[in-house]
Amino acid sequence: MLAKFFIFLTLSCALLQAADKPKEQDVEMLAKTVTKDGDVAHAIGNVVVYSPQYLITADEAYYNYVTGDLELFGNITMLEGVNYASRSGHSKLNLKTKKGTSDPLFFFDESSSVWLKCENAVLDAETYITQKSIVSSCNTQDPDWKIVFTTGEFNKESKWMHLYNPVFYAGDVPVFYLPYFAFSTDRTRRTGLLRPDFGMSSSEGLYYMQPIYFAPAVDWDLELRPQIRTNRGEGLHATYRFVDTAYSKGEITTGYFKEQSHYVDENDAHYGFHLQYDRSALLSTQYSQIQEDGLWVDIHYLNDIDYYNTKDNEDTVYDKLAVSRLNYYIKQEQDYFGFYTKYYIDTSKSSNKDTLQELPTIQYHRFTSPIFWDNLLYSVDYQGKNYTREEGITALQNEINTPVTFYTSFFDDYVHASASENIYMTYVSYGEETDGSYLKHYSNYHRFNLFTDLARSYDTFFHTMYIGLEHTVPSYSKTEGTQYNNTFKNAVTSEDMIPLDLEEKNTAFQFKQFFYDMDGEKKLSHSLKQAYYYDKEYHYGDLENDVKYYLNEHFYIGDTVHYSHRYDQLSRNQISLNYQEPIYKVSLRHTYIDTTYENNTEGKDYSYVTLYAETAYWEHFTLFSAINYDVEDDLFKSWSLGFKKVKKCWDYSLVYRDSNTPKQTTSTNGIDSVNKRGVMLMFNLYPMGSFSYDFKTESEQKQ
């Protein structure tokens, strides 16, 4: 038996080498006993048959050297190439025409792990045609799922398996029947149908989308996604993807959705366009003096926000602002050049003529470099910003920021110190609408840093500590011209689009420390920060304290506190518990933000709890849940509960979701949020693909 194994292994290697040889080789046969009668050779015992196409072992074989007919008996194993293997009790095969029969047959596709059993099969060069068969990718003994069918065909060239009268089984229980079913065992990129997407909604009815994928070349492909929503309308979206160089890729998406007359809210059609292009090396491959450069293009056009909402069946988008960007940068060893543009489309407005655009912003940055001495450092940052629109006030801003820093250390590097002089200048020229108005500002400030960074090893732990003091002093400030605080009231990013980089006189203390055990595992981290403002009505900023305690490598508890000295209370507090290991994962967080918190721009209290929990305690089974609860409003913003079972040959998941999504802009009919709730069930059978069912209901809510 051992000798047979080595012969089989040797001939397998020879078969792989023979694939590279165009010249056809003769058929060879090895066995314990080989006799010849005319043109027919008869082999008995540990038979090995080798040809350029096949490597076969059996108990007994007859081979006609003239006709190429081969008949095999008992424990037949046949290898065809590197992907296909089969077992049979009796087979007839013509090695010249590659036609034959097998009964019974067990066939295995190595690339996809799909196996097939049948009572009898007809073989030829391209196909296997089988009768009374079973197919699966699970264990051959008691498979979790299987498909039983009367007649089937597997094409070895296209790698498609066609099944007639298939019955799908979960274990030994029949689930459903189809007159015909086909799937591919090929995992390579190719033209064909992708997994359909379908669901049910109380407002839109039955939803069905069938993606069609075209891959005619290695450097581009096209995906068409026709869809229907029985109570809403029909649409078609398309995505063209391409790779034009080794450093770049892009895609273009467009689509159109037509609504039925009874469903129309504002627009009866939703259409748009989206271009993305990313190139990491545009000029650096051609010019050696350019160390690195990159181009990023992200262009949006749409007539309303429902263009996004009708692309697929995912969560609804309510942010009615679309931002297009075109960015390019060049980086050298010490210099950086940037060119950025932003173009806004606000779909809540009938016209965007008064929407402020940033076309363009240019930037030059000189990285920190020594000047005169190694410990005297400087950097330069310049930005030019053009704020433009068709209707309304426009502006052109130039600003420059130049810090010069002296750094030194004392007492054998135990104490470090730095002093910097920071110069800031900006000039704003407004458009013709203001009759030549301008704004000129110049300021500088001094910044001093004194800090120490220490580390020490003890008998049972290792401790690091940072203590720093930073003092900022404005020195000179002068402003000429007009500051239009409400100039850009229709802008989409800020009411005051001409910000001035102004520093306040302050002193900030910062303390950080870390504790490690002797194995190098972090046990405790702690940071403390306090700022004192000399010119503010109330001098003390919020005290910030952050502590994390690591019970072990899986579990830590954290608490981040902001204490308001002015109001003598906690202004912000976030407590978090995090546990993660291969079987369990839990994250629980409570965040409280008071109106006294200095960064609370909404002017109201916030208190909310987020929880995510997941367990894989049971083999092949994962249970998970997520909750986002608003304590202040006594409202579940969202929650979900589900499970997923994963095995080698299949998985399935069931999820229930409930969410309340606020609208960015309150609608004319007073709708402030939309509640969605529903169930999604998904099955994935390897390698056939997955199918899911998504049922959800929507309800609009008013405050």
Side-chain angles (χ1 to χ4, degrees), residues 659-671:
S659 65
N660 292 283
T661 306
K663 290 194 172 184
Q664 292 292 98
T665 304
T666 303
S667 59
T668 56
N669 57 4
I671 302 304

Side-chain angles (χ1 to χ4, degrees), residues 147-151 162-169 174-183 685 688 691:
I147 305 175
V148 179
F149 54 99
T150 58
T151 306
H162 304 268
L163 314 180
Y164 299 91
N165 301 309
V167 179
F168 292 76
Y169 282 78
V175 178
F176 61 90
Y177 162 83
L178 290 174
Y180 169 78
F181 180 72
F183 66 94
L685 305 180
M688 294 187 298
F691 59 93

Side-chain angles (χ1 to χ4, degrees), residues 501-551:
D501 189 6
L502 302 178
E503 287 287 341
E504 298 179 276
K505 185 179 180 181
N506 72 90
T507 301
F509 169 79
Q510 191 167 13
F511 172 78
K512 296 180 181 179
Q513 60 177 337
F514 299 91
F515 292 87
Y516 301 86
D517 62 21
M518 300 312 294
D519 295 326
E521 297 291 336
K522 187 187 297 183
K523 302 302 293 183
L524 179 71
S525 68
H526 175 223
S527 67
L528 185 70
K529 185 176 182 180
Q530 176 64 64
Y532 179 87
Y533 298 93
Y534 294 86
D535 300 326
K536 281 188 174 182
E537 179 183 355
Y538 194 86
H539 300 306
Y540 292 96
D542 284 0
L543 174 66
E544 302 176 21
N545 187 75
D546 182 83
V547 179
K548 288 186 178 67
Y549 177 63
Y550 300 83
L551 280 76

Side-chain angles (χ1 to χ4, degrees), residues 485-500:
N485 289 328
N486 295 318
T487 296
F488 300 100
K489 62 183 179 181
N490 292 324
V492 293
T493 55
S494 173
E495 290 187 357
D496 182 2
M497 288 300 297
I498 308 298
L500 300 180

Side-chain angles (χ1 to χ4, degrees), residues 555-600:
F555 184 37
Y556 77 84
I557 303 173
D559 186 20
T560 302
V561 172
H562 288 241
Y563 178 79
S564 173
H565 297 282
R566 181 175 186 178
Y567 298 98
D568 194 23
Q569 68 178 59
L570 295 181
S571 60
R572 181 178 184 269
N573 187 24
Q574 184 178 81
I575 302 175
S576 59
L577 290 84
N578 293 271
Y579 183 82
Q580 183 171 351
E581 61 168 281
I583 296 179
Y584 300 103
K585 182 186 298 183
V586 180
S587 175
L588 175 63
R589 180 177 299 172
H590 174 255
T591 304
Y592 172 77
I593 298 177
D594 192 79
T595 53
T596 59
Y597 179 51
E598 55 189 1
N599 294 324
N600 187 346

Side-chain angles (χ1 to χ4, degrees), residues 340-344 353-362 383-399 424 426-434 439 483-484 487-500:
Y340 324 111
T341 65
K342 287 184 180 180
Y343 187 86
Y344 302 93
K353 290 184 177 181
D354 62 347
T355 300
L356 193 71
Q357 314 295 348
E358 300 175 43
L359 302 172
T361 294
I362 58 175
Q383 293 191 48
K385 304 175 182 179
N386 181 39
Y387 300 108
T388 183
R389 54 186 168 187
E390 294 184 45
E391 298 177 358
I393 297 176
T394 60
L396 177 64
Q397 180 185 21
N398 292 277
E399 60 180 348
Y424 172 74
T426 186
Y427 180 82
V428 181
S429 59
Y430 296 101
E432 297 178 356
E433 300 85 351
T434 62
L439 173 67
Q483 172 75 341
Y484 287 94
T487 296
F488 300 100
K489 62 183 179 181
N490 292 324
V492 293
T493 55
S494 173
E495 290 187 357
D496 182 2
M497 288 300 297
I498 308 298
L500 300 180

Side-chain angles (χ1 to χ4, degrees), residues 43-44 53 57 97 134 164 166 263 265 302 347 375 403 433 439 497 519 529 532 615 657 666 676:
I44 302 176
Q53 183 74 20
T57 63
T97 63
I134 300 174
Y164 299 91
Y263 193 92
D265 183 14
L302 65 163
T347 59
N375 54 349
E433 300 85 351
L439 173 67
M497 288 300 297
D519 295 326
K529 185 176 182 180
Y532 179 87
T615 178
R657 294 192 184 100
T666 303
K676 283 187 176 183

